[in-house]
Amino acid sequence: MSTPDISALLARAEEISSDAERVTAAHLRKVTLPPVDGTAATIGLITLDNGEDHTRPNTFGPRSLLALNAAIDEALADDTVTAIGVTGKPFILAAGADLTSIQGGGPDAVRVVAELGHAVFRKLGEGGKPSFGFINGLALGGGLEVALHCTYRTVMDSAPALGLPEVMLGLVPGWGGAYLVPQLVGADKAVTLILENPLNNGKTLGGRAAYDFGLADAVFGGADFLEQSLLWAADVLAGKVTVERPVVDKDAWDAAVARAEGIVQSKTGGASPAARKAVELIAGARDADRDAGFAAEDDALEAMSRTPELIASLYAFDLVQKRAKRPAGAPDKALARPVTKVGIVGAGLMASQLALLFVRRLEVPVVLTDLDQERADKGVAYVHAEIDKLLAKGRGYNQDKANRHKALVTGATDKQAAFGDADFVIEAVFEEMSVKKSVFADVEKVVAAECVLATNTSSLSITEMAADLEHPERVVGFHFFNPVAVMPLLEIVRGEQTDDATLATAFATGKALKKTTILVKDSPSFIVNRLLGRFMGEVGRIVDEGTPVAVADGAFAGVAPMPPFMLLSLVGPAIALHNNETLHRAFPERFYVSPALERVVATKKGSYYAPDLSIDPEVEALLEKPESPVVLTAPEVRERVLAGLAQEAQLMLDEGVVAAPEDLDLAMITGAGFSFWNGGLTMLLDIAGISEKVNGKRFH
């Protein structure tokens, strides 16, 4: 193998290493495998472990790579070692690069880390001894790449996440992934793993799916995964098991690259340098050898380190990894009260999704109530069916756990019996103030004195909702995003009288539900729906003035996760209209209600689009027909709408809706799917120069 002088790289890595790095140790031990046909091989098993629990995954920075290099060298030099294995601490192989090494050192440090990662990992596949990657859990970015360099791979069937998310972060797979994946599974699957999944809100593969995808040669259950993997390795080394992989079809490469270009255009509008570079790397992998393929990754990583998109991505990554874990303004967690039973008012789809989430995460009794037993039973049946689906897919369930969780979910009509011993009751009924006030009035009569009353309202005032209650201090906004199981954000809204114990209980419950929680001041539509309301209102006004829907929809690739009128179809025109009407009542001078949208809702149309993705002719007939149409270009649409968002974001900060711009960005990333490589919203507005143009100052 031809690599840069590794001694020089090792010395340079020592120079750029930082005490901020959480070092992942590489513990080497010799394991004698069971004899096969009378011969027992010895494997040098390297276990990656940063000494932290499962909430802090292993990562690779300069010092971690130095540690792995030393362990591999020791195993290669030991004549009693037949093969090398790499695995991780419980449930985690590794989560990729330690991004502090990228943030602190600049392009030169990025180059060193890129070349060193290649040089170290290559020893696993090219060092002269067979190697095995035992993927025992999470394996992202460099965590997956270290296994890809091995000769063979096994994966735990319940591993939660395997993938190459770098493009989402403004980077590219830079330790072999962009070259090795297409060589292993073909260019089309490489496009899925390297581009399509990261640009689809960071989608990853579970263990079983990764095996089916072709990333691993064998899949084993979790309880004795390592033991089974070692037995399998013994059979491979003895020749009893032969690993066969399909031959990659190089004739399909051009079609895969064309698909990649289409994905990049539709998802980013060509505005992500990392996405464009990833396409180039996949295309180049067709005919390149390893040296050329890996050198191209080094060049690409260094180039990405010079882009503003990487700065924005690292900012966004820091928000999701750190700020999300320490919500600004949250009360002392010691004030939180235990939640041993949850009540849900309503048994429709949203309520049923909530019931499923609560029982899976809290594992406490959950009772759904509705107007009649048939509706309540329907909600329970939904939860049971979803648990059965998860069991069938092996998604965190065995039969005993499935039975236990199903038994915890019940339906009732008698709120007295259902909620008398509940600690936390959440309503998920029709988005109408009078309905919600009536529900809480009924619930307050039957719950204990310290029971939290939570509302899943998406836009209504928490303060007004609680105003007529005997104990308004225990009412809190607890706003989920749809689909509940997928969207990470939970907006926690403090009413004027919400007390600290209620708020602390809400935050503790949100954390137990594994959601990203953000404290929000009680204000119309809170964070995400207010910003999306301004977004959709501005777009609606532009279309009503005469710009075609298709032009408006094409203006936001690379800004929003989907075109605005596609988003309208997903949310539902009626819900979008209701949100804008709420905001228009509060801020009539800024929030526009489209007469065309009102007509679309009146006809009960669910989308502006026909099944073939053309504009529905019936909707077209309902659009405004201005006498003197103003037709904007896509860039003009984009700038005008972003200007409106810049104004709204600044006003929200001035009003104290959230503590800082970081909370607006965290909300838009986790609740609306805005991209990492834009830094959410405010960083994008700064980079585009719109913040200063509109507000006279930057957000950051």
Side-chain angles (χ1 to χ4, degrees), residues 214-499:
L215 295 177
D217 304 305
V219 59
F220 299 114
D224 57 351
F225 166 74
L226 186 56
E227 289 80 358
Q228 291 186 75
S229 293
L230 290 169
L231 290 171
W232 182 82
D235 286 342
V236 170
L237 292 171
K240 289 189 70 175
V241 168
T242 301
V243 173
E244 296 182 357
R245 299 180 184 131
V247 176
V248 169
D249 181 6
K250 293 202 171 184
D251 290 337
W253 221 276
D254 289 346
V257 170
R259 186 169 81 88
E261 290 169 342
I263 290 168
V264 170
Q265 186 58 39
S266 65
K267 288 288 188 179
T268 76
S272 165
R276 297 197 306 271
K277 184 61 70 174
V279 176
E280 290 179 22
L281 290 173
I282 294 169
R286 182 184 187 278
D287 298 315
D289 61 16
R290 284 194 171 209
D291 292 344
F294 293 167
E297 291 179 355
D298 293 336
D299 291 342
L301 271 185
E302 183 181 351
M304 292 307 97
S305 71
R306 301 178 188 277
T307 66
E309 285 80 8
L310 180 61
I311 295 168
S313 294
L314 293 174
Y315 160 79
F317 184 79
D318 193 64
L319 293 181
V320 172
Q321 292 297 311
K322 296 178 181 177
R323 193 175 185 89
K325 293 176 174 60
R326 294 186 293 275
D332 185 345
K333 60 185 179 183
L335 297 173
R337 294 190 285 262
V339 174
T340 61
K341 181 179 180 181
V342 174
I344 301 176
V345 184
L349 180 58
M350 176 58 83
S352 301
Q353 289 184 72
L354 295 180
L356 178 65
L357 178 68
F358 276 102
V359 76
R360 290 187 67 198
R361 300 296 188 219
L362 303 188
E363 297 189 304
V364 300
V366 177
V367 57
L368 292 149
T369 66
D370 216 312
L371 298 175
D372 56 61
Q373 193 63 43
E374 183 180 354
R375 295 185 197 186
D377 290 345
K378 185 177 179 182
V380 173
Y382 171 89
V383 177
H384 287 189
E386 291 299 307
I387 290 174
D388 284 338
K389 289 178 189 174
L390 292 168
L391 174 63
K393 294 177 181 176
R395 296 278 297 275
Y397 274 100
N398 56 32
Q399 191 64 58
D400 287 344
K401 184 176 179 181
N403 291 342
R404 189 170 71 251
H405 282 191
K406 284 194 213 176
L408 287 170
V409 181
T410 57
T413 58
D414 182 351
K415 291 186 177 65
Q416 174 78 57
F419 298 157
D421 57 347
D423 307 298
F424 191 100
V425 173
I426 182 168
E427 67 76 21
V429 298
F430 185 67
E431 189 77 348
E432 177 63 49
M433 181 62 76
S434 61
V435 175
K436 292 181 183 289
K437 291 185 79 163
S438 174
V439 162
F440 275 160
D442 289 344
V443 170
E444 188 175 46
K445 296 172 186 173
V446 301
V447 296
E450 293 188 335
C451 177
V452 170
L453 302 184
T455 169
N456 187 45
T457 181
S458 59
S459 61
L460 302 178
S461 168
I462 311 303
T463 302
E464 183 181 347
M465 207 177 294
D468 301 332
L469 297 178
E470 186 176 343
H471 293 288
E473 71 278 0
R474 61 178 174 181
V475 177
V476 65
F478 211 64
H479 178 220
F480 292 91
F481 290 77
N482 205 7
V484 170
V486 176
M487 299 303 288
L489 181 62
L490 175 59
E491 294 178 337
I492 295 182
V493 188
R494 182 172 203 160
E496 289 180 9
Q497 297 194 61
T498 307
D499 63 21

Side-chain angles (χ1 to χ4, degrees), residues 21 25 28 38 132 138 160 200 216 222 279 292 312 342 386 393 402 424 462 489 524 545 563 578 587 615 648 682 693:
E21 180 184 346
L28 174 66
F132 296 83
L138 179 143
N200 187 16
V279 176
V342 174
E386 291 299 307
K393 294 177 181 176
F424 191 100
I462 311 303
L489 181 62
E545 289 172 354
H578 176 80
F587 312 112
I615 301 299
E648 201 62 38
T682 66
K693 189 179 294 185

Side-chain angles (χ1 to χ4, degrees), residues 66-139:
L66 292 172
L68 178 58
N69 181 69
I72 295 172
D73 280 352
E74 184 180 346
L76 289 173
D78 189 335
D79 291 338
T80 67
V81 171
T82 311
I84 300 174
V86 178
T87 192
K89 67 182 183 180
F91 313 115
I92 290 168
L93 182 57
D98 181 341
L99 291 178
T100 57
S101 62
I102 293 174
Q103 284 175 292
D108 181 50
V110 170
R111 182 82 192 196
V112 171
V113 170
E115 292 183 355
L116 181 62
H118 276 128
V120 173
F121 289 2
R122 288 185 79 163
K123 293 181 179 182
L124 291 168
E126 304 170 39
K129 293 183 179 181
S131 57
F132 296 83
F134 301 134
I135 305 171
N136 65 313
L138 179 143

Side-chain angles (χ1 to χ4, degrees), residues 497-653:
Q497 297 194 61
T498 307
D499 63 21
D500 282 351
T502 296
L503 203 61
T505 304
F507 273 102
T509 304
K511 182 178 181 180
L513 295 173
K514 298 185 178 179
K515 294 298 183 184
T516 296
T517 52
I518 299 177
L519 179 61
V520 190
K521 177 183 176 181
D522 189 15
S523 54
S525 295
F526 317 130
I527 308 172
V528 173
N529 284 344
R530 178 163 166 181
L531 287 168
L532 287 181
R534 184 69 188 268
F535 177 68
M536 295 302 296
E538 294 295 335
V539 172
R541 192 197 311 262
I542 287 168
V543 169
D544 284 356
E545 289 172 354
T547 299
V549 169
V551 174
D553 256 1
F556 298 99
V559 176
M562 64 179 65
F565 287 96
M566 288 285 186
L567 177 64
L568 190 73
S569 302
L570 180 69
V571 171
I575 292 173
L577 177 62
H578 176 80
N579 183 52
N580 268 43
E581 287 173 338
T582 300
L583 287 160
H584 179 74
R585 285 194 294 272
F587 312 112
E589 72 285 359
R590 297 197 312 279
F591 284 87
Y592 175 76
V593 177
S594 165
L597 178 59
E598 290 176 322
R599 290 192 290 272
V600 169
V601 171
T603 60
K604 295 186 166 48
K605 282 284 182 181
S607 174
Y608 274 49
Y609 285 93
D612 65 357
L613 298 183
S614 63
I615 301 299
D616 184 330
E618 293 180 21
V619 171
E620 185 79 51
L622 297 172
L623 299 181
E624 292 286 278
K625 305 292 189 293
E627 289 185 11
S628 303
V630 177
V631 180
L632 302 182
T633 64
E636 288 170 337
V637 172
R638 178 184 173 116
E639 177 152 358
R640 182 165 143 188
V641 172
L642 289 180
L645 287 172
Q647 181 193 37
E648 201 62 38
Q650 187 59 55
L651 288 168
M652 291 169 73
L653 294 170

